[in-house]
Amino acid sequence: MNAWCPFPPSGAPVSIVVETDVLIVGSGPAGASAALALSSYGVPNLVVTRYASLADTPRAHITNQRTMEVLRDLGVEQDVIQQATPQHLMGDTTFCTSLAGEELGRVRSWGNDPLVQAAHELASPTRMCDMPQHLMEPVLVNAAVARGTRLRFQTEYLSHTQDADGVTATVRDRLRGDSYEIRAKYLIGADGGRSKVAEDAGLPMGGQMGVAGSLNIVFDADLTKYTAHRPSTLYWVLAPGATVGGIGAGLVRCVRPWTEWLIVWGYDVQAGAPDLTTEYAESVIRKLVGDDEIPVTVKSSSAWTVNEMYAETYSNGRVFCAGDAVHRHPPSNGLGSNTSIQDSYNLAWKLKLVLDGTASPELLQSYTAERAPVGKQIVTRANQSIGETAPVFEALDGLSPQTPEQLWANIAARKEATEAAEKQRAKLREAIAFKVYEFNAHGVDLNQRYVSHAIVPDGTPDPGFTRDPELYHQPSSRPGARLPHAWITSGTRTLSTLDTVGKGRFTLLTGIGGEGWVRAAKAQETEIATVVIGPGQEYEDPYGDWARLREISDAGALLVRPDGFVAFRHASAAPDARELLSEALRRILGHA
């Protein structure tokens, strides 16, 4: 760092220039994970945030298997598990008239349906969990700082300019009131849904902001008697007014079982947010809990808007954006922080290889090509899930304007021994079951297929998906797919195939007869770890799971990128393995 005159005489101008390889604006899930990955790879980086602390409210919370795999590779999986609500306490998603009122139905969610649970077990070495953002951010940031990240609170990004060699950002110290410059080789804008970095970079956006209004109310209350017998992250309340704005219905979300909670309630975005007094917040809490006597402590209230916007391009020159800066959507499906962390994980290894001279800057163009389609998909999926709540109300004739008394009468009518009531019950069960697209969309979590110049096609036809790609994960070793998980052994250790890759370097997986591929990998200038799986090798496949999933012969090869995605595949041994691997690396690294 270069700095001069940091404490000038009173009235004198302050002239400070701070230097770093990567400047990250924002300390949320995207910014914190970018810092953690970069520091893990030995890349100097600096995080600035306009706020005086990390997140102080729960906000994002669902943490899916792919994100847990990322955190596993970055060495913080166990830190998250220690603080998170485990999967088995997440999944009795309940629809009711209030927590103390009538229950209308449940959906086994977040991998807790027995069949879906088996699919989760087969798909990954990790388990999803509920990790609120105010707990997740410190895990990521503390690990990043311990590994070398420099962090500056109360430092507001103002603007940036870029040239052929780097980016100069102007920031303001909100404590002192003065401004100074930070010179970086690359800038990451992870500054949220109203990103000034994305705006200044001129990133084109599709969709629209502010399509509906929602309120978050965080509160403490011991709701054990209403929830412990049906443990869940989410309790959906169908009550008069629940369809106004918001995310489709009233929501009571568990932050910490069963005493800390967050309510989401809608408002008419055209009329503007209500006055968020403590009295108003308590009235909403009482309405959704259904108990006027239980002690309640309101901790915070805030208004926000439901957005349906995504960036078509994630970068401009040396400026890259990630997280909510480039995909803005409601919390439905629990995709926000997951996609944000995965954005940064995709970008970090590419920056590392470009900065150390291994790769050409052309590699960085693959960031938009790979992540923008994912961002668009999750924005569409999250907003679609809101609309998929309407059939639950329709089953109760609860969408047309009516008095509360009429809605309660409609709900009571489902109990009658009539043909009409039987049809209503069936319609309600079907509508609630269809919410599996929000609460068990395993394919949305794991089925990403990247297409970019950093992926080398193997010439085989794409078989597509045999089942609904949103609901069901389909493992594949095709280039562009995430490496399939299988349990293998090394001596007395049992580990996942995913545990053999990552750590910021490429990995080549082969088997007996693949010695030519191993020699080819060791002959490359780029670091490539080698993994040989087979009887008598360093790694063995005792269950035969890897043999069933790998889609190549024993002597074939998979080249896996640092982010765990297959970049190159060859089905068998090859006399020209060195040339094939060299050509693949040139293409992947942008040298072709």
Side-chain angles (χ1 to χ4, degrees), residues 1 24 39 48 65 72 91 96 106 200 204 210 369 371 378 386 430 470 511 523 527 543 572:
M1 179 179 71
I24 302 166
S39 287
V48 298
Q65 284 183 296
R72 184 184 182 96
C96 55
R106 304 181 194 177
D200 290 348
R371 294 305 297 173
I378 62 104
I386 293 178
E430 182 179 319
E470 289 198 342
E527 179 190 4
Y543 305 106
S572 60

Side-chain angles (χ1 to χ4, degrees), residues 485-498:
H485 154 69
W487 290 114
I488 58 177
T489 59
S490 179
T492 59
R493 290 191 304 141
T494 298
L495 68 162
S496 169
T497 48
L498 293 171

Side-chain angles (χ1 to χ4, degrees), residues 41-102:
Y41 303 153
V43 177
N45 65 92
L46 168 64
V47 176
V48 298
T49 173
R50 68 191 305 271
Y51 301 106
S53 67
L54 300 178
D56 57 2
T57 56
R59 287 182 265 179
H61 59 116
I62 299 294
T63 307
N64 67 32
Q65 284 183 296
R66 179 56 190 156
T67 297
M68 291 301 288
E69 290 171 358
V70 171
L71 301 179
R72 184 184 182 96
D73 181 47
L74 296 178
V76 295
E77 178 193 21
Q78 291 304 314
D79 298 297
V80 171
I81 289 172
Q82 288 172 9
Q83 299 188 57
T85 298
Q87 186 173 11
H88 71 276
L89 295 181
M90 295 170 61
D92 260 340
T93 298
T94 301
F95 290 80
C96 55
T97 60
S98 70
L99 292 190
E102 284 198 59

Side-chain angles (χ1 to χ4, degrees), residues 62-342:
I62 299 294
T63 307
N64 67 32
Q65 284 183 296
R66 179 56 190 156
T67 297
M68 291 301 288
E69 290 171 358
V70 171
L71 301 179
R72 184 184 182 96
D73 181 47
L74 296 178
V76 295
E77 178 193 21
Q78 291 304 314
D79 298 297
V80 171
I81 289 172
Q82 288 172 9
Q83 299 188 57
T85 298
Q87 186 173 11
H88 71 276
L89 295 181
M90 295 170 61
D92 260 340
T93 298
T94 301
F95 290 80
C96 55
T97 60
S98 70
L99 292 190
E102 284 198 59
E103 183 176 308
L104 304 173
R106 304 181 194 177
V107 179
R108 294 184 180 95
S109 307
W110 315 121
N112 282 284
D113 178 281
L115 294 177
V116 180
Q117 185 175 20
H120 277 235
E121 292 274 350
L122 292 169
S124 176
T126 67
R127 297 291 168 268
M128 69 185 313
C129 61
D130 188 294
M131 183 67 168
Q133 188 169 335
H134 69 303
L135 301 179
M136 177 69 85
E137 284 186 17
V139 169
L140 300 176
V141 169
N142 288 344
V145 169
R147 298 177 196 180
T149 293
R150 292 181 290 166
L151 173 65
R152 294 195 174 190
F153 288 110
Q154 293 194 330
T155 302
E156 181 179 7
Y157 163 85
L158 299 177
S159 63
H160 75 263
T161 59
Q162 58 176 312
D163 52 50
D165 300 316
V167 182
T168 301
T170 301
V171 300
R172 182 171 69 92
D173 186 310
R174 301 182 75 192
L175 195 62
R176 294 192 310 242
D178 62 303
S179 299
Y180 61 95
E181 293 182 343
I182 300 176
R183 179 67 176 171
K185 295 172 183 174
Y186 292 96
L187 167 64
I188 298 177
D191 49 337
R194 299 190 181 278
S195 171
K196 191 170 191 314
V197 176
E199 179 183 349
D200 290 348
L203 301 188
M205 298 278 179
Q208 59 181 324
M209 297 279 280
V211 298
S214 280
L215 308 173
N216 277 3
I217 301 170
V218 182
F219 67 101
D220 288 337
D222 186 352
L223 303 181
T224 302
K225 64 180 179 179
Y226 300 126
T227 57
H229 64 287
R230 48 184 180 184
S232 182
T233 288
L234 305 175
Y235 299 85
W236 293 87
V237 179
L238 280 67
T243 58
V244 176
I247 57 173
L251 174 65
V252 183
R253 177 191 135 196
C254 178
V255 177
R256 305 299 285 171
W258 306 108
T259 56
E260 187 176 352
W261 302 88
L262 183 150
I263 271 178
V264 182
W265 184 246
Y267 69 89
D268 183 349
V269 73
Q270 300 300 323
D275 186 8
L276 297 179
T277 62
T278 300
E279 292 73 23
Y280 177 83
E282 286 186 358
S283 71
V284 174
I285 294 169
R286 300 285 181 198
K287 182 175 187 175
L288 271 63
V289 172
D291 186 334
D292 290 336
E293 304 300 326
I294 199 163
V296 168
T297 302
V298 177
K299 299 171 73 174
S300 68
S301 300
S302 59
W304 52 279
T305 59
V306 174
N307 303 314
E308 189 171 1
M309 181 170 280
Y310 50 86
E312 298 166 359
T313 301
Y314 280 19
S315 66
N316 181 355
R318 290 175 171 266
V319 179
F320 297 81
C321 287
D324 289 355
V326 283
H327 36 79
R328 305 165 189 179
H329 54 88
S332 314
N333 284 78
L335 298 168
S337 63
N338 292 290
T339 310
S340 300
I341 290 170
Q342 292 166 41

